[in-house]
Amino acid sequence: MLEHFFQCPYCWEQISMLLDRSVSETYIEDCEICCNPMQITTVFEQNELVNFEVNNIEQ
């Protein structure tokens, strides 16, 4: 597991998240501060994070 820090696209608070190094994926998760949904995309190559994106989801 990898701990990754980023800013919420809604409230701009810093959040930490544990990422599974064995899986590249796109999924939806709520911000732990403001509870708005974020689309998170992770890409790992040889257990190294090569791309991380977080986007707001228009409601």
Side-chain angles (χ1 to χ4, degrees), residues 29-48:
E29 186 162 322
D30 290 343
C31 171
E32 60 191 41
I33 308 296
C34 69
C35 300
N36 283 303
M38 305 173 288
Q39 179 177 335
I40 298 173
T41 301
T42 61
V43 178
F44 285 92
E45 291 180 4
Q46 299 178 1
N47 289 331
E48 294 293 325

Side-chain angles (χ1 to χ4, degrees), residues 3 8 21 23-25 29 36-40 43 55:
E3 184 174 21
C8 170
R21 292 176 184 257
V23 179
S24 294
E25 60 187 343
E29 186 162 322
N36 283 303
M38 305 173 288
Q39 179 177 335
I40 298 173
V43 178
N55 296 300

